[in-house]
Amino acid sequence: MSSAIFGKVVQLEAALLLLFVASVPAQDADIVRTCTAYKRSVWEETSEFSFLIEDAPIIYKTLDKCTSYAPLIIGGGPALPKEFPHAVRLGHQDNNGEVDWFCGGTLISDRHVLTAAHCHYSPQGSVNIARLGDLEFDTSSDDADPEDFVVKNFTPHPGYSYPAIYNDISVVRLSRPVTFNEYKHPACLPFDDGRAVSSFIAIGWGQLEIVPRTENKKLQKVKLYNYGTRCRMTAEKNEELPEGYNATTQLCIGSNDHKDTCNGDSGGPVLIYHKKHPCMYHVMGITSIGVACDTPDIPAMYTRVHFYLDWIKQQLARN
């Protein structure tokens, strides 16, 4: 009798283990390899030398400079030089060369920037210019390497329908490739969906305060927290969210303090540190829609990047 019960318990434990393993999303091998390749291309230097003996073999040695530029973020504040080399600012340049910057983005390859689809519906005009490698706008005294790129085209997700904010994701293609260095190189795509992540880093050049309206020219960072599915309660249905919060395609992120993303941060990333490479980040979300900017315990909604990996990979494969 007891052995029969023991056998059933073992079977139940095995079944639960299989269920748990099946529920954990497998890492995409291509994304893992690409992430490692980006890290190596920027942070590893290989030198060769040999002993001064005839026919001595050549010895190769690799120096890995991948270290973190900053400690874990506790509150918020200005970003450090080279801390977020994947940060992109997007805008519209008119025929006179004047640029209106209104959205953020994330470099994910040498030609592609990830942003929010709603950024293409800006009253300032369509997204046609991207700036990489910058830290503080309108100054040359910061430790930065700003470079502007013409936008060749962009592809909003086919499921996006303005003004509704679902599937709020777009891939922007630059007219020429980016040369990677310590100031400009991609963030990694997600290895998982972020449900188990407790906190994120949000960055952007958006407003520092909603009232009074505070213009910001320096890249800012802030630590925000995963509120799980709380947005189902805090987000009212409206024309932007006709079906309310969608936990499958959106992340619910905020703070119990006056820390938040705000106007001008749209399209920018929410990030986590890479577990093995401290110089690298994963882009887990895209700043999409706020419920009440800078209001404690009222989280905002961000596009869950992991849900769209197959579609993103299709865009990266396009010529």
Side-chain angles (χ1 to χ4, degrees):
M1 184 75 171
S2 61
S3 61
I5 294 174
F6 176 76
K8 289 182 179 180
V9 170
V10 171
Q11 290 176 358
L12 179 60
E13 289 178 345
L16 290 173
L17 178 61
L18 288 173
L19 182 62
F20 172 76
V21 171
S23 67
V24 176
Q27 292 182 359
D28 187 303
D30 289 337
I31 290 174
V32 174
R33 282 193 295 268
T34 301
C35 180
T36 302
Y38 288 151
K39 175 257 181 184
R40 288 174 176 167
S41 69
V42 176
W43 302 105
E44 295 185 11
E45 292 182 357
T46 300
S47 56
E48 59 181 60
F49 63 93
S50 64
F51 297 103
L52 299 177
I53 304 174
E54 186 176 356
D55 297 326
I58 297 175
I59 300 173
Y60 296 91
K61 186 174 182 179
T62 299
L63 174 64
D64 191 342
K65 300 187 297 180
C66 181
T67 58
S68 176
Y69 273 99
L72 291 172
I73 297 170
I74 302 301
L80 300 179
K82 304 178 229 177
E83 187 177 5
F84 301 106
H86 45 265
V88 181
R89 202 165 195 189
L90 298 170
H92 175 80
Q93 185 173 43
D94 64 21
N95 294 331
N96 297 319
E98 296 295 322
V99 179
D100 197 341
W101 304 100
F102 49 79
C103 267
T106 311
L107 187 68
I108 57 171
S109 83
D110 66 341
R111 293 286 288 265
H112 298 88
V113 173
L114 198 62
T115 190
H118 79 260
C119 287
H120 303 306
Y121 290 82
S122 169
Q124 292 94 325
S126 63
V127 172
N128 62 10
I129 189 169
R131 177 169 291 181
L132 281 70
D134 211 350
L135 183 63
E136 183 174 359
F137 271 60
D138 299 334
T139 182
S140 58
S141 61
D142 59 342
D143 183 8
D145 184 29
E147 185 176 2
D148 289 348
F149 292 77
V150 172
V151 169
K152 182 177 181 180
N153 55 51
F154 52 82
T155 307
H157 190 276
Y160 178 77
S161 179
Y162 183 82
I165 216 72
Y166 303 115
N167 305 304
D168 191 15
I169 184 171
S170 174
V171 173
V172 172
R173 182 174 174 81
L174 305 178
S175 62
R176 58 187 174 88
V178 178
T179 301
F180 298 159
N181 57 31
E182 294 183 10
Y183 297 92
K184 295 185 282 286
H185 66 82
C188 298
L189 290 171
F191 288 176
D192 58 59
D193 63 10
R195 292 179 191 273
V197 176
S198 60
S199 64
F200 302 87
I201 305 159
I203 63 172
W205 283 274
Q207 287 177 230
L208 297 179
E209 297 177 89
I210 190 67
V211 178
R213 184 181 177 91
T214 307
E215 186 180 9
N216 172 42
K217 292 187 176 182
K218 191 167 187 178
L219 182 62
Q220 301 288 317
K221 61 186 179 183
V222 65
K223 185 175 184 178
L224 301 176
Y225 297 89
N226 191 343
Y227 274 66
T229 59
R230 181 168 178 174
C231 287
R232 286 176 178 158
M233 296 180 290
T234 57
E236 296 182 359
K237 294 182 180 181
N238 52 46
E239 67 171 0
E240 293 178 316
L241 292 165
E243 303 300 326
Y245 170 66
N246 186 328
T248 301
T249 63
Q250 295 173 309
L251 288 162
C252 182
I253 304 174
S255 173
N256 57 10
D257 205 346
H258 286 277
K259 298 181 177 70
D260 203 355
T261 51
C262 206
N263 296 340
D265 290 321
S266 288
V270 287
L271 310 152
I272 61 172
Y273 294 95
H274 192 290
K275 290 181 179 179
K276 293 184 178 180
H277 309 315
C279 59
M280 302 293 289
Y281 296 83
H282 295 282
V283 52
M284 303 300 293
I286 300 170
T287 302
S288 180
I289 179 174
V291 179
C293 180
D294 195 33
T295 304
D297 273 332
I298 303 294
M301 278 148 285
Y302 298 76
T303 305
R304 190 186 296 271
V305 175
H306 186 269
F307 180 83
Y308 299 94
L309 285 184
D310 288 343
W311 179 77
I312 293 171
K313 290 172 67 176
Q314 290 173 7
Q315 307 314 309
L316 296 179
R318 293 174 58 187
N319 293 325

